[in-house]
Amino acid sequence: MLEFKNISFKYDEDPDFIIKNLSFTVNKGEFISIVGPSGCGKSTVFRLICKLERPFEGDIFLKNRNINALKKGYIGYMPQNDLLIPWRTILQNSSLPLEIKGEDLKKARYEAEKILKAFGLEKYKNKYPKDLSGGMRQRVSFTRTLLTGADMLLLDEPFSALDAITRLSMQEWLLDKWSNLNKTVLFITHDVEEALFLSTKIFITDGSPIRKFKEIKVDLSYPRTRGMLDSPDMLEIKGELISELKKGVRL
């Protein structure tokens, strides 16, 4: 589904590289969490995939095609903040990706209404973002990401601003939706338990610059329960993740 091939990147104003000769692959249908200390370059990986930044060297391929040859809508990106437009209703916010792609307005709203209904959000369609809780806004943001039509979704710490209980609820909601969507997901998080609960595989950054990802397979079946994380194998992986993350922390 996705391949990074010898990617290096640095910002023009910085002397040092953030990413250096990074190569990795993501297979279709995987849910992969990327974990690492703040500021190590995780979000830059997403910015490169979205073509918001250009690599200094190397190539990125999606479905065996160089992303430089792909037009808008090839990837779905959900940032940390919901970025819903305050003067647009929930229905109008959800239909935005289709409108950007040039869809007829009536058809775009019809498609958006269908997915809002499927996700139990139909009754909020005429409300505005200010009327919804943080968790509800993130759900709407996710529906908007899906309506890009992309087979691969990039979720950049989408639950980091939520309170603990809402965050747990959103994790379970996301896992339920992903299991029925046939999408490939890359998910950035600082939360080790969140990564374990959601992922088929976890990528751990190796410091700065990022030269490689250490891959850890999460060998748990779906659907998942919180209790699965208390097994000896999962506790061992959790300890390994925490140990790896501590190596990258600068006090």
Side-chain angles (χ1 to χ4, degrees):
M1 175 62 76
L2 176 72
E3 181 184 10
F4 262 48
K5 196 169 184 179
N6 301 317
I7 291 293
S8 294
F9 175 80
K10 73 179 188 68
Y11 291 101
D12 292 338
E13 63 272 20
D14 294 335
D16 300 323
F17 280 89
I18 297 175
I19 297 169
K20 188 68 174 175
N21 296 326
L22 176 64
S23 296
F24 67 89
T25 58
V26 175
N27 298 317
K28 181 176 174 59
E30 289 187 309
F31 193 122
I32 295 179
S33 289
I34 303 176
V35 299
S38 297
C40 71
K42 302 184 299 299
S43 293
T44 303
V45 170
F46 279 14
R47 292 180 63 82
L48 288 166
I49 298 171
C50 294
K51 294 193 289 190
L52 296 174
E53 305 290 351
R54 299 283 182 173
F56 185 83
E57 58 187 5
D59 295 289
I60 302 171
F61 298 92
L62 188 69
K63 299 181 184 177
N64 298 317
R65 295 182 63 193
N66 194 302
I67 63 168
N68 291 329
L70 301 178
K71 297 181 179 180
K72 59 187 177 183
Y74 67 92
I75 206 81
Y77 176 53
M78 181 177 172
Q80 296 180 33
N81 299 316
D82 58 70
L83 299 183
L84 298 180
I85 299 172
W87 59 85
R88 290 177 68 110
T89 66
I90 297 309
L91 179 59
Q92 291 168 342
N93 267 287
S94 297
S95 64
L96 188 59
L98 298 173
E99 295 175 38
I100 291 173
K101 289 168 72 173
E103 291 275 4
D104 173 78
L105 183 59
K106 186 176 180 180
K107 182 180 178 182
R109 299 282 166 84
Y110 173 73
E111 292 298 323
E113 192 163 1
K114 279 201 305 184
I115 197 167
L116 287 173
K117 184 176 182 180
F119 283 9
L121 297 169
E122 186 183 24
K123 64 182 179 180
Y124 302 103
K125 67 180 183 180
N126 294 320
K127 292 186 178 295
Y128 290 87
K130 67 178 178 61
D131 301 320
L132 274 59
S133 67
M136 293 300 294
R137 290 197 300 269
Q138 287 301 85
R139 293 183 187 192
V140 174
S141 180
F142 185 68
T143 65
R144 187 173 61 182
T145 304
L146 284 178
L147 282 166
T148 61
D151 292 327
M152 185 161 198
L153 309 180
L154 309 179
L155 311 183
D156 189 353
E157 296 191 75
F159 310 144
S160 61
L162 303 177
D163 64 84
I165 299 301
T166 303
R167 183 170 185 155
L168 293 176
S169 175
M170 285 299 299
Q171 290 168 9
E172 293 164 2
W173 182 86
L174 174 61
L175 208 53
D176 175 65
K177 300 308 174 191
W178 169 75
S179 64
N180 295 300
L181 288 171
N182 194 31
K183 301 288 185 181
T184 305
V185 174
L186 269 180
F187 186 97
I188 291 177
T189 180
H190 287 98
D191 188 321
V192 169
E193 288 201 5
E194 182 171 69
L196 285 170
F197 182 67
L198 294 172
S199 311
T200 57
K201 192 184 293 180
I202 298 172
F203 287 170
I204 309 171
T205 62
D206 67 338
S208 185
I210 301 175
R211 298 178 184 273
K212 64 180 180 179
F213 288 134
K214 180 176 182 179
E215 298 185 14
I216 294 180
K217 184 178 180 181
V218 183
D219 197 14
L220 291 176
S221 60
Y222 294 94
R224 291 182 177 176
T225 64
R226 300 284 172 185
M228 291 178 174
L229 302 183
D230 295 328
S231 71
D233 287 345
M234 289 302 104
L235 290 175
E236 183 177 346
I237 292 175
K238 180 179 178 180
E240 182 180 354
L241 284 169
I242 292 172
S243 177
E244 290 288 341
L245 289 174
K246 282 182 176 179
K247 294 178 183 177
V249 174
R250 298 177 181 177
L251 300 177

